[in-house]
Amino acid sequence: MTDFVWELGTEELPADFIDQALAQWQALIPASLEAVHLAPQAIHYYGTPRRLAVYLQGVPARQPDQQVEIKGPSVQAAYQNGEPTPALLGFLRSRQAQLTDIHVRDTPKGQFVYLLQTLPGRPAPEVLVELIPHWWQKLTGPRFMRWGDGPVRFSRPIRWLVALWDDQVLPVTLTNGSECLHADRMSRGHRVLHPQPVVIPRAERYLDCLRQAGVEADVTARRERIRQELHRVLPPHSQAAIPPALLEEVTHLTEWPTGILGSFDPAYLQLPAAVITTVMTHHQRYFPVMDAQGNLLPHFVTMSNGHPAWADTIRQGNERVLRARLADARFFYEADLRQPLAAYVPQLASVTFQEQLGSVLRKVQRMEQLLQTVLAETDYPDETQRHILRAAHLCKADLVTQMVGEFSELQGVMGGHYAEKTGENSVVAQAIAEHYQERPQTLAGQWVALADRLDTIVGILAVGLVPTGSSDPFALRRAARSIVLIANDLYPTYPLNLQHLFHTMADILTTDYASFNRTELEKQWHLLLGQRFHTLLQEKGLDYDLINALLDLEQMVGMERVLTNIADFFRRADWLKALRQNGILQEIYATVNRASRLASQGDLPTDVLDADAVIDKPLLHQPIERELYQSVNQLLAQAQHTQVTGDYDQLVQGLRAIAPVLARFFDGPESVLVMDENPDIRRNRLNLLGLIRNSALVLADFSQIVKT
């Protein structure tokens, strides 16, 4: 077993691409090595702003020999009068084989000659040289570029290659026009701490050599170093806010991070904390410093990628930049507060939401109209309804404030703050602040967020901007997910019908945009929401067949049932998951599924739950038929009760009770032939099975469930 390291040296890579590239390699490289029978004992992936690398630990020295069976000509073509024909001899020559190496085998197309041959494995270095170009060429990412006079495209220009099989340099090359890079054992150290080339004597020394040159290539170790540096420079009795996204970004922006503590004028702490932290984290990549109670302190920590000896100069430069940023923020804040938040609402007429759908002001007015219609159907107190409508009226007003114009990440947050500062009710302010969240916590915030997402989805789908692949400029998928979660949260306070809400929103939309196809719009609505339901059930841990049993994206009627009562849908999902875990699903699956499959040969509609309307009792000739009929009537009563109450326990007990009767109906001495020659008897028996299927459909489509 031998170790191997491959490094692709570049100019500074975007931080987000490093993460994407390493994730792609984790899928690509193991699969490619497995395919050539060179799976190592371990694979380690490394990345810094100037390199992507992979270290293969314990690679076999060569591929194993393989026994392969090669199909040759048919016996008829291979022999003539008992002698080998030119076709057979040519086949053997092409494979460097002898007549004694072949045998004859029968196939569906007749007898053929087969050659059993041992292919010797190739040396691992030889195979790796062929694989390596595919590893970097198959990487994908945004904003790839060309450089020099060649056609090669990558995130940033490639400047050097390292390919070491133990201590042996492999002959890997990269040609880009007139430029040709040859792999070597020479890497590059830190631009400032070690500008000289770094010699890697052997693969296993890769990390150590780079560390000596001021580069921590191991992403996990570099992330931990950042945490240690934060702890080292923090003032006593303080803590740093470490947003996960910021930590990842800073990890990929540095090769040898050094923490530097900076300060700013405490007077700026009069600004909302969200403003200060946004300036620090989103714009400057600083870590805010707080006291033990979580209150902001006039300090920050920046991770320098420069020389520690220049820490004072670096600190002063960062303090100067932050001071200017906070001064701007204070100016915007004071200017915005010169008038109440409501005064900004008319200015939304100058902000375009979508060209065909009009301004953001029209969007707000549609939201208000939807909420007025729906809230009138609830039994919420008048004050609660007024708060929701007021929050909807003001929720987008901060978009035209100077603060949000400069720091767009603060939309909603500043609206809530300005609302409270200018005399709005705290319920209204909180709803405005949280309505951009995926899952707001307050009732008012939930309704405003729901109306916002509904207007966006229905409007954007109506103008034909359906999400495709990775293209979703209006974030409709995220909005649909939020609608599902919010609707489920709202259900205890009001039995929300999303299908009704959709049609109400579509009716309102006709005022601004009437030229849409209602049928196509509803189809896209069902598809978008159905995909989010599917994803959410996967996250809940449901098996794929149980998801299919609950959700059929091709059936409009099925989606209408789901959207009419989301809480019931998730309750059914929980029931199915529990039934599989406790074994009851396995107990009732076989007979119910058999009944469902046979019932499909009849013509009974799936919504019929009345035996008297479809069963001709005089045609129930056999005792088992009459017994099954009685059991079916009991099951139908339980199914109807479940439809009213949403309690699936009785229905499940009914399915369990009917399973043994149904088993005797199908098999054994009492069994009957469902597909009787008499069409009336056949229809009667198929209808019995159809009623069982329809009762089970109140819970799920058992025909989609796979036996375990």
Side-chain angles (χ1 to χ4, degrees):
M1 297 290 186
T2 306
D3 292 350
F4 170 74
V5 69
W6 155 252
E7 181 186 75
L8 187 74
T10 67
E11 294 186 12
E12 274 71 9
L13 295 165
D16 58 350
F17 175 71
I18 298 173
D19 206 36
Q20 295 172 24
L22 296 183
Q24 291 175 53
W25 269 5
Q26 288 173 22
L28 172 65
I29 292 178
S32 66
L33 292 169
E34 288 281 355
V36 296
H37 308 288
L38 285 177
Q41 294 173 340
I43 306 179
H44 304 278
Y45 305 92
Y46 305 129
T48 77
R50 297 180 67 204
R51 75 203 73 228
L52 297 171
V54 59
Y55 174 52
L56 308 181
Q57 192 172 1
V59 185
R62 60 185 304 111
Q63 295 173 310
D65 295 343
Q66 295 183 61
Q67 293 282 340
V68 295
E69 194 172 46
I70 306 164
K71 186 179 181 182
S74 67
V75 170
Q76 187 177 3
Y79 294 97
Q80 189 172 12
N81 299 325
E83 296 296 324
T85 63
L88 176 57
L89 295 174
F91 169 68
L92 293 173
R93 273 197 307 275
S94 69
R95 300 292 176 177
Q96 299 179 343
Q98 305 296 320
L99 280 169
T100 54
D101 298 329
I102 62 173
H103 62 278
V104 175
R105 185 197 294 178
D106 290 324
T107 74
K109 295 184 178 181
Q111 291 187 320
F112 279 79
V113 170
Y114 280 83
L115 171 65
L116 186 63
Q117 201 168 36
T118 299
L119 297 181
R122 298 166 60 198
E126 183 181 314
V127 179
L128 288 170
V129 168
E130 296 175 0
L131 283 181
I132 287 170
H134 298 287
W135 291 351
W136 69 267
Q137 289 170 359
K138 290 187 177 181
L139 290 176
T140 60
R143 303 179 300 277
F144 270 29
M145 60 180 290
R146 286 193 288 264
W147 65 95
D149 57 358
V152 173
R153 293 172 59 86
F154 199 63
S155 182
R156 290 295 183 269
I158 299 171
R159 296 308 188 197
W160 75 88
L161 308 173
V162 173
L164 279 180
W165 174 259
D166 193 15
D167 61 351
Q168 172 191 349
V169 176
L170 298 191
V172 179
T173 59
L174 191 162
T175 302
N176 183 31
S178 58
E179 180 184 12
C180 185
L181 294 177
H182 297 274
D184 201 345
R185 64 177 72 252
M186 305 289 288
S187 181
R188 306 288 188 275
H190 193 283
R191 279 197 185 275
V192 176
L193 300 177
H194 193 287
Q196 304 86 3
V198 179
V199 178
I200 314 292
R202 56 194 318 119
E204 65 182 18
R205 294 288 316 282
Y206 176 74
L207 282 181
D208 290 339
C209 291
L210 286 182
R211 284 167 180 157
Q212 292 171 13
V215 174
E216 177 52 79
D218 187 324
V219 175
T220 302
R222 197 162 65 252
R223 188 185 300 115
E224 183 56 31
R225 177 179 170 83
I226 290 173
R227 292 184 182 277
Q228 292 172 356
E229 286 292 296
L230 283 169
H231 182 73
R232 180 181 66 84
V233 301
L234 282 174
H237 311 297
S238 66
Q239 58 182 329
I242 310 178
L246 177 62
L247 179 60
E248 286 304 303
E249 184 177 14
V250 173
T251 299
H252 294 311
L253 286 172
T254 57
E255 291 197 315
W256 194 260
T258 302
I260 297 176
L261 179 68
S263 302
F264 60 89
D265 189 340
Y268 288 119
L269 291 176
Q270 296 175 4
L271 288 168
V275 173
I276 300 173
T277 57
T278 297
V279 170
M280 288 185 183
T281 60
H282 289 266
H283 294 263
Q284 301 305 127
R285 279 73 177 178
Y286 300 161
F287 294 93
V289 179
M290 303 174 295
D291 63 20
Q293 287 72 44
N295 301 309
L296 274 176
L297 294 174
H299 300 291
F300 65 90
V301 177
T302 182
M303 285 296 151
S304 167
N305 198 41
H307 202 295
W310 305 338
D312 285 342
T313 302
I314 295 170
R315 178 177 58 254
Q316 292 169 14
N318 281 277
E319 288 176 343
R320 184 169 59 252
V321 171
L322 182 60
R323 184 165 57 249
R325 280 284 193 178
L326 292 178
D328 288 344
R330 181 165 61 184
F331 173 80
F332 299 144
Y333 181 66
E334 293 172 349
D336 289 340
L337 284 175
R338 288 175 189 149
Q339 57 182 339
L341 184 64
Y344 291 98
V345 173
Q347 298 178 40
L348 294 174
S350 63
V351 181
T352 301
F353 168 56
Q354 199 278 334
E355 184 179 0
Q356 294 164 280
L357 299 175
S359 67
V360 174
L361 180 60
R362 280 299 304 139
K363 174 182 175 63
V364 169
Q365 291 167 346
R366 289 193 299 268
M367 290 168 56
E368 291 179 277
Q369 190 175 346
L370 174 69
L371 288 170
Q372 286 170 350
T373 303
V374 178
L375 291 175
E377 302 170 359
T378 71
D379 58 359
Y380 294 154
D382 291 344
E383 185 181 35
T384 299
Q385 295 188 36
R386 286 196 300 272
H387 288 159
I388 295 171
L389 291 171
R390 182 63 174 173
H393 180 71
L394 298 174
C395 68
K396 303 297 180 184
D398 65 346
L399 293 179
V400 290
T401 62
Q402 294 189 55
M403 182 71 81
V404 174
E406 180 69 17
F407 305 111
S408 60
E409 303 90 347
L410 291 172
Q411 60 184 353
V413 174
M414 293 312 300
H417 182 85
Y418 289 155
E420 194 159 22
K421 283 288 186 180
T422 56
E424 297 292 341
N425 186 279
S426 61
V427 173
V428 173
Q430 181 64 26
I432 296 170
E434 66 181 15
H435 86 280
Y436 284 106
Q437 297 173 11
E438 180 181 67
R439 205 168 182 173
Q441 298 303 305
T442 67
L443 182 67
Q446 290 166 349
W447 276 106
V448 174
L450 185 67
D452 183 19
R453 270 68 158 186
L454 268 168
D455 177 79
T456 297
I457 289 179
V458 175
I460 298 302
L461 290 180
V463 300
L465 299 178
V466 180
T468 56
S470 60
S471 176
D472 187 9
F474 287 88
L476 297 193
R477 296 187 183 103
R478 187 164 66 242
R481 176 187 173 90
S482 181
I483 283 177
V484 172
L485 295 173
I486 293 172
N488 193 47
D489 290 341
L490 279 171
Y491 204 84
T493 71
Y494 174 68
L496 194 64
N497 183 332
L498 273 183
Q499 189 66 7
H500 170 64
L501 220 57
F502 160 77
H503 285 295
T504 304
M505 190 73 249
D507 291 339
I508 293 170
L509 181 65
T510 56
T511 304
D512 294 312
Y513 183 77
S515 58
F516 62 85
N517 184 317
R518 187 72 165 246
T519 302
E520 180 62 22
L521 174 60
E522 187 170 8
K523 176 185 173 183
Q524 294 298 334
W525 159 256
H526 283 172
L527 183 61
L528 183 65
L529 269 291
Q531 290 169 342
R532 297 314 104 199
F533 280 118
H534 195 282
T535 301
L536 286 167
L537 291 186
Q538 285 181 318
E539 293 174 3
K540 286 170 71 73
L542 251 70
D543 297 327
Y544 77 94
D545 60 322
L546 300 186
I547 297 176
N548 293 337
L550 289 163
L551 193 65
D552 187 347
L553 299 182
E554 303 298 323
Q555 294 294 325
M556 190 80 74
V557 175
M559 276 303 300
E560 286 182 358
R561 178 190 176 188
V562 171
L563 294 174
T564 299
N565 192 333
I566 285 181
D568 175 73
F569 173 75
F570 284 116
R571 191 159 51 243
R572 289 190 289 131
D574 292 337
W575 263 100
L576 277 186
K577 185 177 180 181
L579 290 174
R580 171 157 283 174
Q581 290 174 343
N582 61 26
I584 294 176
L585 187 62
Q586 186 72 11
E587 176 186 330
I588 62 178
Y589 159 80
T591 48
V592 174
N593 188 44
R594 188 173 175 184
S596 299
R597 290 201 313 270
L598 274 170
S600 65
Q601 299 184 40
D603 56 5
L604 184 70
T606 56
D607 60 345
V608 175
L609 291 174
D610 182 6
D612 292 339
V614 296
I615 299 299
D616 190 347
K617 286 187 282 187
L619 292 178
L620 300 173
H621 296 154
Q622 302 301 322
I624 188 63
E625 286 182 284
R626 293 190 289 273
E627 183 181 350
L628 183 61
Y629 172 73
Q630 296 299 325
S631 297
V632 165
N633 271 318
Q634 294 176 16
L635 178 63
L636 291 172
Q638 292 162 326
Q640 292 164 359
H641 174 78
T642 296
Q643 286 183 318
V644 174
T645 64
D647 179 7
Y648 287 90
D649 184 58
Q650 282 196 27
L651 176 59
V652 170
Q653 295 307 319
L655 291 171
R656 294 182 73 182
I658 206 170
V661 181
L662 193 55
R664 287 164 42 222
F665 178 82
F666 285 137
D667 302 303
E670 302 174 89
S671 64
V672 300
L673 178 64
V674 175
M675 306 304 289
D676 194 272
E677 292 180 358
N678 185 319
D680 294 330
I681 294 176
R682 180 169 64 246
R683 183 180 301 108
N684 219 38
R685 291 172 179 172
L686 286 173
N687 284 348
L688 272 175
L689 299 179
L691 290 169
I692 296 171
R693 174 202 61 195
N694 294 356
S695 299
L697 279 172
V698 173
L699 175 60
D701 182 358
F702 276 70
S703 67
Q704 297 291 335
I705 297 175
V706 177
K707 185 177 181 180
T708 56

